[in-house]
């Protein structure tokens, strides 16, 4: 376990900025309960500083996880967000999409968000921006990338895709074998 | 319950009487309505009674001559109805149920009482004629008295009824031989088991001349093995924990699955909201009981309960009711540092984290790397942000890190409490397991004790729990720890339910304070069999800064056990034959993976 290098930090933050924009500052600056990013094997964990200190007493090959996993570095050095980061993404989300109950299950099975399933949508989403998908009860279900800007989606077909799925909570079941170790 | 059971068994109703009772049940509402206004409708009541009584004369008379021998059926019914559960309803419901129960009870005893002295009917009618306003009170009093008398008589008769002729229950040697030839006759075995239990309960009066208690017990154990499929060793072990009838209840309860329960994740939602959403999805549920504020019991569901959007969003976790208990005993406080020594699959860890409201720090350890996967999955899904998951042999603590405020040790065990969940336990557990597993548990518990900070302002608590009911894995282990570490003591677990732990068992005497530990059985509370002990560490010991790892501890414990003569050389040895088979299999598999046909000749 170690803290991220400057380069790694840049890659991670660029990815995060897609979804939460300037709200990243809330992740880093929290004077009452400071949090840090830690890299263990290829995974990036976000955890409170005090917990991270305790984790130093666990040897590298025995430490399986700590705090919240944000995602992993691929072998090519890119950073891929995991669904486990959703609580933080949802908390600081910039753009949101709410889907109707009849769209919940299709989304949780790994499908993209269709126009027909949209219940509400943030007003100012540009094209290809990161969006967080919520149910109508405000339960975060996943995240994705918008296909078109909000204005354009108004005149789309019901079967057209509004947002491309990147992660959904169904992965807890579907990807159980690969998601965590 | 004991009294009820006895009553019933003494003079079991025949089929006709049973049907009669059923009929009466349909009549019950009418009777109930007559009850409240006691004084005024006294005549009416007695009239309706005499009506019933008349009907009874027709039906019940013939029954009395044929004292029936269909005991087992009655007993079964009794078992089912008498079963107490942890899953009581809300209080009103419970009260309601009680009422009904009582009614039924009254009904039955009334019925039996009335079925006998039929002659009283005529008297009743005579008296009714000279009834007037003045003597009404006296009259009703007299009625009451009569009733009480009848009930008493009935009771007496029941007691005497138990003293039936000494029935021949055990099969003779020839019969046994004959049985061995034929396939197993399930019903007759069952009948015999219940009859033997009855004899054992009242051995002095019911036992056949010249037969010893041991003969009955051996036969019963044999039958239990045949009927339920236990290995002889395990049946004997479990049987010895209970009285014969309770043991039967226990074996019966192991054939029935426990109710499905979920725990609300208070980090993300509240129980009321969760229940509402799930009900909307077509799930039939109810709070588990007054003792927990986060548990829900699932009766049936139109959707898979492990794949609803709420489940995926981490609003609840599927968790047996029994595994709430050790965490409740642990009573974690905010901003503490807590260790869960055997954490997978994370039900208890996430509960601890939720009770701490994501403050402080929770170490979730599990020795099995494959199982940490499900542990991490649950931790992440339920949004526990204060956890560290590690993969040590738990005996490495406190070498890794010590000074915890609280430690939960839900030790690996033989699983004799969860036979309903895992049938394989019935056959697979041998005597060796009951030496090896406690051996490990003792070391784990000592490590746990050494890893706790005695000076902790809020804690200094160790909770030891197993899902086994064997004394070797529970009381014996706890007693061992008390002897080895004088700086810990047992304290009240703070759990509202549960039976006291044994302070002595089959000639072994444990520390008196073991009565503070708690036992849970499937047949008494309808939860998995479980054991919980809560320690408080009062002072530091020399072992607290031990730098010895798992290997040193194992060597030490082993030499100690060898000295005491508990284990011998064959303990945890490699078995070459078995290993060779496994090795061959692995080689074959790896060859297949490489695309080589392992059967092909080179």
């Amino acid at each position: 376990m170690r803290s991220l290098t400057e380069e790694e930090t840049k890659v991670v933050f660029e990815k995060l900025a897609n979804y939460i924009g300037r709200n990243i500052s809330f992740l880093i600056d929290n004077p009452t309960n400071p949090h840090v990013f830690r890299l263990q094997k290829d995974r990036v964990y976000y955890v409170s500083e005090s917990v991270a200190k305790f984790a130093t007493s666990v040897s590298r090959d025995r430490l399986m996880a700590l705090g919240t996993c944000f995602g992993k570095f691929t072998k090519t050095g890119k950073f891929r967000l995991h669904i486990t980061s959703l609580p933080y993404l949802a908390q600081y989300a910039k753009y949101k999409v709410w889907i109707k109950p009849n769209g919940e299950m299709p989304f949780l099975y790994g499908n993209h968000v269709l126009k027909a399933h949209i219940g509400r949508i943030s007003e100012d989403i540009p094209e290809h921006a990161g969006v967080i998908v919520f149910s109508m009860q405000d339960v975060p279900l996943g995240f994705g990338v918008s296909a078109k800007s909000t204005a354009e989606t108004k005149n789309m077909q019901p079967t057209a895709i509004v947002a491309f799925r990147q992660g959904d909570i169904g992965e807890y079941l579907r990807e159980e074998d690969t998601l965590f170790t | 319950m004991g009294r009820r059971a006895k009553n019933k068994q003494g003079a079991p109703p025949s089929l006709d009487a049973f049907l009669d009772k059923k009929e009466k049940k349909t009549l019950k509402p009418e009777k109930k309505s007559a009850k409240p206004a006691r004084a005024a409708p006294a005549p009416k009541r007695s009239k309706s009674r005499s009506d019933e009584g008349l009907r009874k004369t027709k039906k019940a008379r013939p029954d009395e001559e044929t004292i029936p021998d269909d005991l087992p059926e009655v007993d079964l019914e009794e078992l089912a109805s008498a079963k107490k559960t942890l899953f009581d309803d809300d209080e009103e419901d419970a009260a309601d149920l009680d009422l009904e129960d009582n009614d039924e009870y009254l009904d039955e005893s009334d019925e039996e009482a009335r079925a006998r002295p039929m002659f009283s009917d005529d008297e009743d009618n005579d008296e009714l004629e000279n009834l007037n306003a003045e003597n009404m009170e006296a009259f009703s009093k007299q009625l009451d008295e009569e009733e009480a008398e009848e009930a008493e008589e009935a009771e007496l008769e029941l007691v005497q009824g138990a003293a039936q002729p000494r029935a021949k229950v055990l099969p003779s040697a020839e019969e046994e031989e004959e049985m061995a030839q034929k396939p197993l006759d399930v019903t007759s075995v069952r009948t015999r088991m219940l009859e033997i239990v009855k004899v054992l309960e009242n051995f002095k009066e019911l036992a056949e001349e010249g037969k010893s208690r041991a003969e009955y017990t051996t036969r019963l154990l044999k039958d239990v093995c045949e009927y339920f499929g236990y290995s002889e060793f395990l049946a004997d072990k479990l049987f010895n924990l209970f009285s014969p009838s309770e043991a039967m209840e226990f074996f019966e309860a192991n054939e029935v699955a426990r109710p499905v329960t979920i725990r609300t994740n208070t980090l993300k939602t509240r129980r009321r909201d969760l229940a509402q959403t799930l009900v909307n999805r077509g799930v039939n549920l109810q709070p588990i009981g007054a003792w927990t504020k986060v548990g829900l019991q699932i009766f049936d569901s139109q959707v898979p309960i492990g794949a609803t959007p709420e489940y995926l969003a981490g609003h609840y976790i599927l968790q047996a009711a029994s595994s709430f208990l050790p965490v409740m005993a642990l009573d974690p406080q905010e901003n503490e540092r807590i260790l869960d020594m055997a954490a997978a699959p994370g039900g208890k860890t996430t509960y601890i984290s939720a009770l701490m409201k994501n403050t402080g720090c929770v170490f979730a350890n599990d020795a099995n790397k494959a199982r940490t996967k499900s542990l991490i999955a649950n931790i992440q899904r339920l949004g526990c942000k204060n956890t560290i998951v590690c993969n040590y042999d738990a005996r490495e603590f406190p070498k890794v890190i010590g000074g915890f405020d609280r430690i939960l040790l839900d030790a690996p065990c033989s699983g004799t409490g969860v036979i309903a969940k895992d049938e394989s336990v019935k056959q697979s557990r041998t005597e060796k397991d009951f030496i090896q597993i406690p051996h490990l548990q003792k070391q784990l518990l000592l490590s746990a004790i050494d890893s706790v900070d005695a000076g902790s302002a809020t804690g200094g608590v160790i909770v030891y729990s197993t899902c086994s009911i064997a004394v070797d894995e529970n009381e014996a282990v706890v007693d061992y720890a008390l002897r080895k570490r004088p700086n810990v003591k047992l304290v009240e677990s703070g759990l509202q339910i549960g039976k006291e732990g044994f302070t002595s068992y089959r000639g072994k005497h444990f520390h008196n304070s073991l009565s503070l530990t708690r036992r849970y059985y499937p047949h008494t509370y309808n939860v998995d069999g479980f054991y919980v002990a809560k320690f408080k560490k009062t002072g530091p010991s020399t072992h607290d800064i031990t730098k010895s790892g798992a290997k040193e501890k194992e060597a030490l414990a082993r030499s100690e056990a060898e000295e005491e003569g508990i284990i011998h050389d064959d303990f945890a040895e490699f078995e070459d034959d078995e290993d060779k088979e496994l090795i061959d299999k692995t080689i074959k598999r790896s060859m297949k993976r490489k695309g080589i046909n392992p059967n092909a000749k080179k």
Side-chain angles (χ1 to χ4, degrees), chain B residues 9-30:
Chain B
Q9 282 190 345
S14 68
L15 182 67
D16 284 22
F18 182 65
L19 287 177
D20 207 31
K21 192 169 74 189
K22 253 194 188 164
E23 214 168 298
K24 266 196 75 184
K25 261 186 196 161
T26 54
L27 271 167
K28 215 165 62 178
E30 185 195 321

Side-chain angles (χ1 to χ4, degrees), chain B residues 20 46-62 114-115 117-122 124-125:
Chain B
D20 207 31
S46 65
K47 205 176 149 201
S48 78
R49 244 181 78 190
S50 63
D51 279 354
E52 272 172 32
L54 276 174
R55 222 161 22 80
K56 206 43 89 39
T57 32
K58 282 182 211 145
K59 285 210 170 170
R61 274 272 161 72
R114 261 183 258 121
M118 285 313 148
F119 37 82
S120 69
D121 289 340
D122 319 76
D124 259 14
N125 288 346

Side-chain angles (χ1 to χ4, degrees), chain B residues 42 158 179 201 268 280 285 326 376 393 416 485 502 584 586:
Chain B
L158 287 175
M179 275 185 338
E201 293 282 275
K268 294 207 171 181
N280 290 342
L285 47 72
I376 299 171
D393 183 330
T416 49
R485 296 286 184 271
F502 295 120
D584 285 345
T586 321

